[in-house]
Amino acid sequence: MAALLALLPLATLLSAAVVLRPRDEETPQRHRLAIIRAALAVGAGAVLSVELLSLAGAVARGPVIALWAIAAVVTGYLAWRRRPADWQAPWPPLYLAIPVALLVLAELVLALASAPNNFDSNSYHLPKIEHWIANGDLGNYATFQIQQLILVPGAEFLLLHLRLLTGDDGLFNLLQWGAGLLGAVALSRCAAQLGAGRIGQWLAAAVFLTAPAVVLESTSTQNDLVVVAWVTCAATIALNKSPRISDALALAAAAGLVTVTKSTGLMALAPVLIFWGIAQLRQKAIKATLSVAGLVIAAMLLLAGPSFLRVHDAFGSPLGPEDYRVGLSTQRHDPPAILVNGLRLGASTLLTPVPAVNEAVGKAVIGVAHLVDVDPNDPAITQWKSVFPGTRWKPDEDRSPYPIQSALVLLGLAVGLFVPRTRWYAAMVLGAFLLTAAVVKWQDWGNRLILPAFALAVPLAGVWLERISKRKIVAAGVALVMAAAFAHAAAAVLLGQPRRLIGQGSVFTVDDWQERFARMPAQAASYRTAIDEVRASGARRVGLVVEGDLWEYPVQIELRDTELVSLLTGTPAVPAASVFSVDAVICFSSADLCRRAVPADWRYRQIDPLVATAFPPA
């Protein structure tokens, strides 16, 4: 019954699409624009509602159910009043639509069958949701894992709604799955706006959906596809080049949602906004441009401002501690450094199963770096754990390359710069790539961080592929390339990590607990032992010692009726709980740190090198 409540947001979205349906476009684009407008409206409403509930200390199941019930009824009534006389969609080319549909269906099966098991999600994306529910608001709390506080929480706000509606995390993976579909809808519309026909539009969607990084993330609780969806929605609205209030509101909502979801999206969003602004100025719509610019800034402040204020209250800066920012963002912004960083980011997406090819590409990039006198692993442009060139080509959610799709996109960008109809859009995409290279350090898991810029370039690939496919012999070559793309995508969904449909470790052959620990299999039994010991003790208030990237989320979902508090804090304004105020302690840390946190006379048990429990004297 609880899972049925998740249909309330879906019903609201579908009704909103009918309500927000434009009347003055061709049928195919009208339908897609309606979906995009509805997604932006519902997404912005979901974010704002969480902030408002937090102000009232009412982040709880009852208020969220009531809000969605009201939203579904109101939008449903408005949709009935504005129901279309017909809703005809164009027939897709079956040779593209069928493999796309099969791929998306396989992802849906995997998303529904999988428990959240991504490393970052267990470390900081999902624990913050449980903290919000326990506290009843979004206020800062004591935690040693400050990523829970300093990273913008837009995707987690949407997951919070699902968590409160359904009572668990069983449907969490559907957010990214849906975001991937929304991104494909927006990108196919971008391709149409750039002059692509029906085939080019489907090719654009296929290039995006077959990228292994997209396939793998579509079944996870990361947030990269969510920010990609909002960036691509902004792009298709910007391509309207219209000063209409409906487009202005949609563009503002998209900008606000990008800002509150992930900072990497801003490097792609900025060129989109500049592109739209230049288009308006070329039409001499100066007043409209200034008005929309003010609206965009207002939406960004409204949706993301409260989150930045909370971070500022905790750390004295809306961007968090300086050392954390330095670890992820580049410190060099000179042209040679940007060039080398951009080449490394691009080369990492092009990794293949052929070592000789990877070695040649890596050597070429290193050669350019030496030529412009830049250390290819300069710490100012390289994340501290990473060493270029990487060799990780296998389908892994955090690191998977997408060589076929990346090559098609880069060629489409190069061609697009010289085609009159697409040159301004291509220049915008190039700006997104350069800005990303200027800000994001190269790292082993950078392939997913540059997805927003990659996605913006996808429509150019669709336009280019359709144009060259008009000759039969070339069309056959394009068909072979796309077949290889689908094969790579199928391998990702069937055999990818940390979730796979078949083979050893398939989601159908391991239990839920083992699946959750796919990234830390050695700790699954130890976590279970610690949780069972605390549950058997009858402890009502439990202190946690969590170090580094180790996980508190498994304890949160297993001990939901227990008050969990942190005995360590990296939040300057919020002190940690006293060990003498708890009935038990669970440590996920080094033994030395745990021993320091627990009084000497407590009963202490080291379950494994990273997991321990402690209880006060009888």
Side-chain angles (χ1 to χ4, degrees):
M1 178 61 183
L4 293 177
L5 292 174
L7 295 176
L8 290 175
L10 179 60
T12 302
L13 178 64
L14 295 177
S15 298
V18 176
V19 174
L20 298 173
R21 184 182 86 260
R23 300 181 185 274
D24 58 349
E25 289 196 38
E26 297 178 3
T27 299
Q29 290 194 37
R30 184 171 73 240
H31 299 335
R32 280 174 277 180
L33 183 55
I35 294 170
I36 289 163
R37 286 178 175 177
L40 292 171
V42 172
V47 169
L48 284 176
S49 66
V50 172
E51 293 288 359
L52 292 173
L53 289 174
S54 177
L55 290 175
V59 177
R61 193 173 191 218
V64 166
I65 292 175
L67 282 174
W68 281 110
I70 293 170
V73 170
V74 171
T75 56
Y77 172 73
L78 294 175
W80 180 81
R81 290 288 302 270
R82 205 193 167 200
R83 61 192 183 279
D86 62 86
W87 189 268
Q88 297 179 353
W91 286 100
L94 295 182
Y95 55 86
L96 277 173
I98 289 176
V100 166
L102 290 174
L103 176 63
V104 170
L105 180 61
E107 293 168 357
L108 176 60
V109 171
L110 187 56
L112 290 172
S114 304
N117 62 359
N118 177 269
F119 208 104
D120 291 350
S121 296
N122 279 282
S123 178
Y124 51 83
H125 287 307
L126 303 185
K128 65 172 73 174
I129 296 173
E130 298 302 318
H131 280 288
W132 294 335
I133 295 172
N135 298 337
D137 60 42
L138 305 175
N140 293 317
Y141 50 84
T143 178
F144 198 63
Q145 294 172 311
I146 60 172
Q147 298 101 313
Q148 294 182 19
L149 302 179
I150 63 178
L151 299 180
V152 282
E156 290 82 358
F157 282 174
L158 303 181
L159 291 177
L160 173 64
H161 284 280
L162 275 179
R163 166 68 173 82
L164 290 172
L165 286 171
T166 64
D168 58 34
D169 60 10
L171 299 180
F172 275 12
N173 293 333
L174 293 185
L175 175 62
Q176 287 254 107
W177 180 79
L181 293 182
L182 178 59
V185 168
L187 290 170
S188 68
R189 186 170 187 269
C190 286
Q193 292 167 294
L194 293 173
R198 186 177 56 139
I199 302 300
Q201 295 168 45
W202 273 92
L203 282 169
V207 168
F208 174 71
L209 289 173
T210 58
V214 174
V215 172
L216 292 160
E217 283 223 20
S218 68
T219 62
S220 85
T221 47
Q222 284 277 20
N223 56 9
D224 297 286
L225 291 189
V226 178
V227 75
V228 164
W230 302 138
V231 166
T232 54
C233 285
T236 189
I237 298 299
L239 276 169
N240 282 347
K241 301 177 183 177
S242 165
R244 292 178 302 183
I245 185 63
S246 57
D247 285 332
L249 290 172
L251 187 64
L257 287 167
V258 170
T259 307
V260 78
T261 301
K262 191 158 188 168
S263 59
T264 53
L266 295 174
M267 277 70 80
L269 175 67
V272 170
L273 296 178
I274 293 171
F275 171 84
W276 186 90
I278 291 174
Q280 299 309 302
L281 293 176
R282 292 178 68 188
Q283 299 177 40
K284 299 182 179 179
I286 298 176
K287 289 184 178 179
T289 305
L290 294 176
S291 299
V292 175
L295 188 61
V296 166
I297 293 172
M300 295 169 75
L301 292 174
L302 183 63
L303 295 180
S307 296
F308 286 121
L309 284 176
R310 286 189 290 271
V311 176
H312 184 276
D313 288 343
F315 300 100
S317 167
L319 302 179
E322 183 178 358
D323 57 345
Y324 187 83
R325 300 196 305 270
V326 168
L328 298 177
S329 302
T330 57
Q331 285 81 60
R332 286 187 60 176
H333 305 100
D334 54 288
I338 295 173
L339 172 64
V340 172
N341 200 37
L343 290 175
R344 294 185 306 167
L345 291 170
S348 296
T349 67
L350 293 167
L351 289 175
T352 72
V354 184
V357 173
N358 301 334
E359 184 178 355
V361 173
K363 284 184 176 179
V365 173
I366 292 174
V368 172
H370 290 156
L371 186 65
V372 297
D373 198 25
V374 174
D375 179 357
N377 285 298
D378 185 344
I381 55 173
T382 308
Q383 205 270 349
W384 67 276
K385 290 182 179 179
S386 304
V387 177
F388 182 84
T391 57
R392 299 175 177 87
W393 63 268
K394 294 182 180 179
D396 184 288
E397 176 187 351
D398 289 329
R399 295 170 170 146
S400 181
Y402 29 99
I404 297 173
Q405 296 78 8
S406 181
L408 292 175
V409 158
L410 292 174
L411 287 171
L413 173 59
V415 173
L417 287 169
F418 297 97
V419 175
R421 184 162 184 174
T422 60
R423 66 162 62 110
W424 284 104
Y425 184 88
M428 179 195 81
V429 172
L430 182 60
F433 277 122
L434 291 175
L435 193 54
T436 301
V439 176
V440 179
K441 284 185 173 180
W442 183 87
Q443 50 201 272
D444 285 335
W445 42 92
N447 285 346
R448 63 183 180 84
L449 299 182
I450 64 171
L451 280 175
F454 163 81
L456 286 181
V458 164
L460 295 170
V463 173
W464 170 69
L465 287 171
E466 183 183 47
R467 185 176 295 130
I468 66 173
S469 298
K470 293 179 180 179
R471 295 183 178 182
K472 290 185 178 180
I473 188 169
V474 178
V478 171
L480 287 175
V481 170
M482 293 308 300
F486 276 105
H488 198 178
V493 74
L494 294 174
L495 300 169
Q497 290 294 337
R499 295 163 302 280
R500 54 172 53 191
L501 280 176
I502 64 174
Q504 184 178 4
S506 162
V507 293
F508 300 114
T509 62
V510 297
D511 62 34
D512 180 85
W513 191 253
Q514 290 175 309
E515 187 186 339
R516 288 180 183 274
F517 282 85
R519 290 300 201 195
M520 294 199 310
Q523 268 65 57
S526 302
Y527 267 71
R528 172 58 66 193
T529 299
I531 291 168
D532 289 345
E533 286 183 5
V534 169
R535 183 182 286 122
S537 74
R540 304 304 304 167
R541 180 176 165 92
V542 177
L544 298 179
V545 177
V546 184
E547 183 180 20
D549 290 329
L550 295 175
W551 303 347
E552 67 175 300
Y553 185 66
V555 179
Q556 291 174 311
I557 61 175
E558 288 292 310
L559 298 177
R560 281 185 174 147
D561 295 330
T562 303
E563 183 182 4
L564 302 174
V565 296
S566 178
L567 300 183
L568 300 176
T569 184
T571 316
V574 185
S578 168
V579 69
F580 298 105
S581 70
V582 302
D583 307 316
V585 172
I586 303 179
C587 293
F588 304 116
S589 66
S590 65
D592 290 343
L593 181 62
C594 189
R595 286 283 192 181
R596 292 198 300 271
V598 175
D601 59 340
W602 282 37
R603 291 175 290 131
Y604 180 90
R605 182 186 177 205
Q606 191 73 44
I607 298 172
D608 77 7
L610 294 175
V611 181
T613 56
F615 301 90

